[in-house]
Amino acid sequence: MAKNKSDVFKAIADPTRRKIIELLMISGALPITAIAGDFKSARQVITRHIYILEKAGLVSIEDSGRERYCRAEYLPLREIFDWVSLYEKFWDEKLDALQVHVKQKNKTGKKMN
Amino acid sequence: MRKTIYKEIFCEGPPESVWQSLTNPEEISAWLMQTSDFRAEVGAKFTMQAKPMGKWDGVIYGEVLVAEKFSVLSYTWKGSQMKSTTILKWTLIPESDGTRLKMEHSGFSGLGDYVLGIFHAMGWNRFLKQLNNLIRKNGKK
């Protein structure tokens, strides 16, 4: 289920797709027909959006009888919005900079307090 | 969700030198963020300036909690848009040819406030609120 982050970003960049996720987060599982019923766009258009979300790992689809039920998957989103992972990247960069800074300082024999 | 970030690096310089890089405003500004009022004294308040993003002005507020010269430095770290105050802790361990520097950034809670700020500015409020609720409900996974 771990998808590429750019797929996830692309998927949520579209307002209709964000609305679909919102709808699923509020309602739990919903059949595609019910989701489409909530939008003015043609059903095929909504279905296409749902498949893009599925490809990004943001929606799972399960067949039940004659309906296809969609459910929001929040894990890929959580990875993106998890600020711990963001700060992790931030500190990796900053610590690299610190390492270089200290090295330079000691190489040039700058005075220390 | 992990709540603490641990990092460890080796610096080619004695603890005194590393300490100075961690506490001298000029040096902090060189490798971390712009600051002019940092003082390694318990209770001293300071600000650091990051690049502003969305509605976030990029200001980090902090207060020094621990300042054991050449060995342990700890301070709070809170962006103006952040709900939780996080804590940074630096530990300097002398080694024969330099300093082992350990960093701990703890106190994170919920979704990334840093990112939330940006997305709030983009009008994603409702979306993020739902997401946050869902994550809370589902607990740790």
Side-chain angles (χ1 to χ4, degrees):
Chain A
M1 214 199 61
K3 302 281 164 152
N4 179 325
K5 278 190 183 174
S6 70
D7 279 352
V8 178
F9 269 123
K10 254 180 243 162
I12 58 173
D14 180 273
T16 305
R17 291 199 284 272
R18 279 209 300 279
K19 258 188 213 140
I20 294 173
I21 299 175
E22 272 178 23
L23 187 65
L24 290 172
M25 286 200 280
I26 300 164
S27 328
L30 279 180
I32 290 182
T33 46
I35 299 169
D38 245 58
F39 292 88
K40 282 188 194 131
S41 322
R43 188 172 150 190
Q44 296 97 299
V45 174
I46 299 302
T47 307
R48 209 177 308 135
H49 281 311
I50 292 172
Y51 287 140
I52 292 170
L53 289 170
E54 189 196 20
K55 222 181 126 217
L58 293 168
V59 162
S60 60
I61 304 177
E62 206 178 297
D63 290 314
S64 172
R66 299 180 56 180
E67 293 283 10
R68 307 204 72 198
Y69 277 86
C70 304
R71 186 184 298 278
E73 296 291 342
Y74 67 92
L75 276 177
L77 285 174
R78 193 175 83 172
E79 273 173 35
I80 280 185
F81 291 111
D82 177 5
W83 73 335
V84 173
S85 65
L86 268 155
Y87 255 114
E88 191 120 11
K89 219 186 288 163
F90 171 84
W91 285 120
D92 279 338
E93 280 169 24
K94 295 301 183 188
L95 289 174
D96 278 350
L98 173 63
Q99 230 169 357
V100 172
H101 175 84
V102 174
K103 190 177 175 179
Q104 292 291 336
K105 190 169 68 159
N106 284 280
K107 215 171 28 189
T108 52
K110 197 174 155 185
K111 258 195 179 173
M112 289 173 290
N113 291 338
Chain B
M1 205 185 296
R2 281 161 311 148
K3 292 283 165 73
T4 302
I5 298 170
Y6 298 98
K7 298 279 172 201
E8 195 179 314
I9 55 164
F10 177 77
C11 290
E12 292 178 44
E16 292 79 3
S17 172
V18 175
W19 177 263
Q20 200 194 16
S21 299
L22 291 175
T23 55
N24 178 309
E26 230 173 88
E27 291 198 39
I28 295 169
S29 303
W31 68 271
L32 179 58
M33 281 183 193
Q34 206 65 40
T35 183
S36 57
D37 54 359
F38 190 93
R39 274 181 303 128
E41 281 167 33
V42 175
K45 291 188 172 135
F46 63 88
T47 57
M48 291 194 192
Q49 178 68 54
K51 217 165 54 184
M53 265 180 163
K55 279 185 183 165
W56 181 39
D57 56 10
V59 180
I60 300 278
Y61 297 90
E63 182 179 342
V64 176
L65 302 173
V66 183
E68 288 168 25
K69 218 172 179 187
F70 311 144
S71 118
V72 184
L73 176 69
S74 175
Y75 45 82
T76 60
W77 177 279
K78 187 177 181 296
S80 47
Q81 90 300 4
M82 282 160 65
K83 272 170 271 162
S84 51
T85 297
T86 59
I87 293 174
L88 267 171
K89 186 182 172 198
W90 303 91
T91 310
L92 293 71
I93 301 152
E95 287 193 3
S96 57
D97 46 357
T99 308
R100 184 140 309 273
L101 180 64
K102 290 184 178 178
M103 191 215 76
E104 239 183 87
H105 194 177
S106 60
F108 294 103
S109 64
L111 285 170
D113 293 341
Y114 167 79
V115 179
L116 285 185
I118 300 166
F119 285 89
H120 279 160
M122 288 168 66
W124 287 25
N125 279 327
R126 209 165 76 101
F127 177 76
L128 289 162
K129 215 167 127 194
Q130 294 301 338
L131 176 63
N132 221 346
N133 287 343
L134 195 71
I135 289 170
R136 282 221 179 99
K137 213 164 64 191
N138 283 276
K140 302 157 215 136
K141 225 185 221 178

